[in-house]
Amino acid sequence: IPETTDATIVQDAWRRDLTINSLYYNLNTNQVEDWTERGLQDLKLRTIVTPRKPLPTLLEDPVRILRAVRFAAQLSFSIDPALVRAARDVRVRHALENKVSRETIGCEVDSMFGTRDPTRGIKLLMETNMIDLVLPIGDVLEGEGQE
């Protein structure tokens, strides 16, 4: 579980999971503020990107890869290749297995299945090597013959 501390709006934007989630709407000016200077660009490019380097971002909170997959499926966005590479790192998989409850993983997967393109979400889980971790179908199939 990541630690949280007080931060300025700029620091908060850089701590976000994705650049598209680091955008703020200023009620006083009626303007969108992009403190990472990438969120609006990534939104226009329809790309899921982390504000900071992807590997430390995912190791800090491994649920972020599941959120990235969900947003990509929901919005028909692509995932930045550097983020996919980081997701394939065995340390991210280990962190997801050991730091995150099955319930939290299940909630993210349920949300992914509720998107307009859940098949894309499954493909992205396969691309990131997370499919067997979040959908352990092989374990279920192996157990069928043992009853």
Side-chain angles (χ1 to χ4, degrees), residues 1-127:
I1 298 173
E3 289 185 28
T4 57
T5 56
D6 291 336
T8 66
I9 194 168
V10 175
Q11 292 168 326
D12 186 62
W14 282 97
R15 290 193 311 203
R16 295 290 170 161
D17 56 353
L18 307 170
T19 57
I20 61 172
N21 287 340
S22 66
L23 299 171
Y24 296 84
Y25 184 75
N26 186 320
L27 295 173
N28 295 319
T29 63
N30 293 320
Q31 299 284 320
V32 174
E33 297 174 346
D34 184 1
W35 296 101
T36 66
E37 298 180 354
R38 295 194 46 206
L40 288 172
Q41 175 186 348
D42 292 335
L43 195 59
K44 287 176 189 169
L45 293 173
R46 304 178 63 81
T47 304
I48 302 295
V49 182
T50 57
R52 296 175 290 131
K53 291 182 179 180
L55 184 57
T57 298
L58 296 181
L59 290 174
E60 179 182 270
D61 184 359
V63 173
R64 290 174 170 161
I65 190 55
L66 301 181
R67 290 176 46 82
V69 166
R70 178 169 51 91
F71 278 111
Q74 182 176 14
L75 302 171
S76 298
F77 280 25
S78 62
I79 297 181
D80 178 58
L83 181 52
V84 171
R85 281 191 305 277
R88 291 178 180 160
D89 188 294
V90 69
R91 293 171 291 175
V92 174
R93 181 184 179 86
H94 184 264
L96 192 58
E97 284 179 302
N98 295 297
K99 284 184 169 183
V100 181
S101 72
R102 295 300 303 167
E103 180 181 38
T104 299
I105 291 171
C107 287
E108 283 298 327
V109 172
D110 285 347
S111 294
M112 183 196 69
F113 281 138
T115 66
R116 64 177 158 175
D117 193 358
T119 303
R120 174 146 172 69
I122 292 170
K123 288 177 183 176
L124 290 168
L125 287 173
M126 291 169 64
E127 187 178 334

